[in-house]
Amino acid sequence: MLRKIWNTLRYGDGRTKSFLLWEFALVLATVILLGAAIGTQSFLPGLAAIVTAIIAAAMAKDVALVVKNGAGSGDDVQKSKKGMNRAAKEEKEQEEREKEDEKDFGDNALASMTTEKLKRLLIRYKVRQEHVPVVIDLCIPERIRQAPGFAWVEGGLLRILLIDRKPRMLERPLSRLQVMEVERGIAVKASNEYVELRDNEIMKKAFTPYLPRYQKKEIGGRTVLIKNLYVLDEEIKFTSTSVNELKKLFSFRIEIDDRRLQTMELSPHYKTVYVDSFLWKDGILTLQEYKARVEQVIDSLANPAVPYGEFETTLGAMINSGLLPTEYRNYALAKRTEKEQGIQQEKKGKKKGRK
């Protein structure tokens, strides 16, 4: 017990040390006051000794609990030492990486990147082999603007090695990355987009496929260039072409904030096709994936369990709004007829079986 107390005084945190010192001070004060009361035969020192003794006794229970639970035990000291050693090691490794970065890139990694430097950088930051290229268009809290990088998953974290003016790491727990929101229709000026990245041939070649997919739109009588961004953790805005790469690493759902999708009258089938159509136009779904999803929705819509009025209204809304070409009407009607006939034949088969 005494050894544990001694270890607590040596290695415990400041609060625990202070707690123990107060206990020792109270015990010492009790002894001194008791001696004074006996020596002077005075009532006041004796009364004070009783008070300090009561307080010391009450605190003694807590002292025993603290020491028993190992607040300053050898095991916790060892853990604390290991934690400190690990932190010190990581800090030293980071300092070494920064020195090597400075040697390789000076004050601008994007501008001075070469194939050999890029290989060394990936090794230096221990980028996993199962990584994907991504581009972060904007993240204000992290002061990121149009920076490429390499993303991978490790230890429940999404890790991204950003190649900005200086290489740096960005990490987020996967538990916070369940939903990706869409920021739509951001007007841009082409000459201001990814200037530094395009100036370096190595970076341009590696990351051009992951730049935003731009679209033209008429606003106020003039044609403007717009892009959509995909937001994780409410602040990290990825390009549309980075989304498919991130999907290779972990699962998330994409949500589009559109007033039309909030309308209660709209069928869930319509909303699904609307979102899928948007993702296809932005390059997140291939044409084959989009067609497969549309056919799944129509197959579900054509189920006879869906009232015919809802079937016809939803199908008409999809075609009239341009979500589906007109030939899908015949496809959907044929599907519904096929399903209805299948149900009728099944009922006939059951009746024959009863006979």
Side-chain angles (χ1 to χ4, degrees), residues 25-36:
L26 285 168
V27 171
L28 183 61
T30 301
V31 172
I32 293 172
L33 289 169
L34 188 60

Side-chain angles (χ1 to χ4, degrees), residues 12-162:
D13 56 42
R15 186 176 179 183
T16 306
K17 289 179 181 179
S18 176
F19 186 73
L20 286 174
L21 290 172
W22 270 105
E23 175 67 9
F24 293 149
L26 285 168
V27 171
L28 183 61
T30 301
V31 172
I32 293 172
L33 289 169
L34 188 60
I38 295 172
T40 61
Q41 295 185 346
S42 174
F43 174 73
L44 288 176
L47 181 61
I50 293 171
V51 172
T52 55
I54 292 172
I55 296 172
M59 288 183 65
K61 293 180 180 179
D62 292 334
V63 169
L65 183 62
V66 166
V67 174
K68 183 179 179 181
N69 287 340
S73 68
D75 290 342
D76 277 353
V77 169
Q78 291 301 319
K79 290 178 184 178
S80 177
K81 283 184 176 179
K82 286 181 181 178
M84 291 173 65
N85 290 338
R86 184 165 55 249
K89 182 182 178 182
E90 289 175 357
E91 186 177 349
K92 185 179 180 182
E93 287 177 352
Q94 180 59 29
E95 289 177 359
E96 290 174 355
R97 282 195 293 265
E98 289 175 358
K99 287 179 182 178
E100 291 178 28
D101 289 344
E102 179 69 25
K103 181 181 177 181
D104 270 348
F105 307 118
D107 61 356
N108 196 331
L110 266 179
S112 58
M113 186 64 69
T114 65
T115 302
E116 289 304 316
K117 289 179 181 179
L118 182 57
K119 289 179 181 178
R120 289 200 296 268
L121 183 68
L122 297 181
I123 294 170
R124 189 149 66 231
Y125 281 84
K126 300 177 182 178
V127 176
R128 284 197 167 186
Q129 189 172 355
E130 302 82 11
H131 66 267
V132 298
V134 295
V135 173
I136 296 178
D137 191 273
L138 187 67
C139 181
I140 293 175
E142 298 286 349
R143 298 182 180 180
I144 302 169
R145 184 180 182 276
Q146 300 184 350
F150 296 96
W152 71 98
V153 168
E154 183 178 2
L157 297 172
L158 173 64
R159 299 177 184 266
I160 304 175
L161 170 59
L162 288 168

Side-chain angles (χ1 to χ4, degrees), residues 153-325:
V153 168
E154 183 178 2
L157 297 172
L158 173 64
R159 299 177 184 266
I160 304 175
L161 170 59
L162 288 168
I163 306 174
D164 211 337
R165 287 189 168 270
K166 291 186 180 295
R168 53 190 171 120
M169 289 294 300
L170 179 68
E171 296 180 348
R172 288 293 188 279
L174 290 178
S175 58
R176 284 165 48 180
L177 309 179
Q178 304 300 307
V179 177
M180 180 175 274
E181 299 173 330
V182 183
E183 190 174 325
R184 304 172 62 195
I186 302 164
V188 301
K189 190 175 180 181
S191 59
N192 293 337
E193 289 286 284
Y194 296 91
V195 177
E196 291 190 347
L197 189 150
R198 295 178 192 271
D199 279 345
N200 182 284
E201 283 303 316
I202 298 298
M203 302 304 289
K204 181 180 178 180
K205 184 177 179 180
F207 288 99
T208 292
Y210 308 102
L211 297 184
R213 174 171 285 203
Y214 301 101
Q215 301 171 26
K216 292 180 180 179
K217 186 176 182 180
E218 291 289 330
I219 299 179
R222 64 190 186 92
T223 303
V224 298
L225 208 61
I226 64 169
K227 64 184 176 183
N228 302 313
L229 298 178
Y230 293 75
V231 189
L232 274 180
D233 201 24
E234 300 182 349
E235 60 186 27
I236 310 174
K237 302 180 181 183
F238 291 91
T239 61
S240 57
T241 44
S242 297
V243 177
N244 278 334
E245 299 303 313
L246 291 170
K247 282 162 61 179
K248 296 174 184 177
L249 299 178
F250 64 102
S251 300
F252 51 85
R253 69 178 185 276
I254 298 175
E255 293 184 353
I256 299 176
D257 185 14
D258 190 299
R259 283 178 295 178
R260 282 172 289 184
L261 297 180
Q262 310 305 321
T263 305
M264 296 300 293
E265 290 78 13
L266 279 178
S267 161
H269 298 94
Y270 181 97
K271 293 178 181 180
T272 299
V273 173
Y274 179 88
V275 172
D276 288 345
S277 174
F278 179 90
L279 298 179
W280 166 56
K281 291 174 182 176
D282 225 13
I284 293 172
L285 294 178
T286 65
L287 179 59
Q288 290 73 23
E289 288 172 332
Y290 175 55
K291 287 179 68 176
R293 292 198 185 197
V294 167
E295 289 173 4
Q296 286 176 2
V297 170
I298 290 178
D299 189 68
S300 174
L301 181 62
N303 192 313
V306 177
Y308 187 83
E310 181 182 337
F311 166 78
E312 181 61 35
T313 301
T314 303
L315 185 60
M318 289 178 180
I319 293 171
N320 293 335
S321 64
L323 286 179
L324 296 180

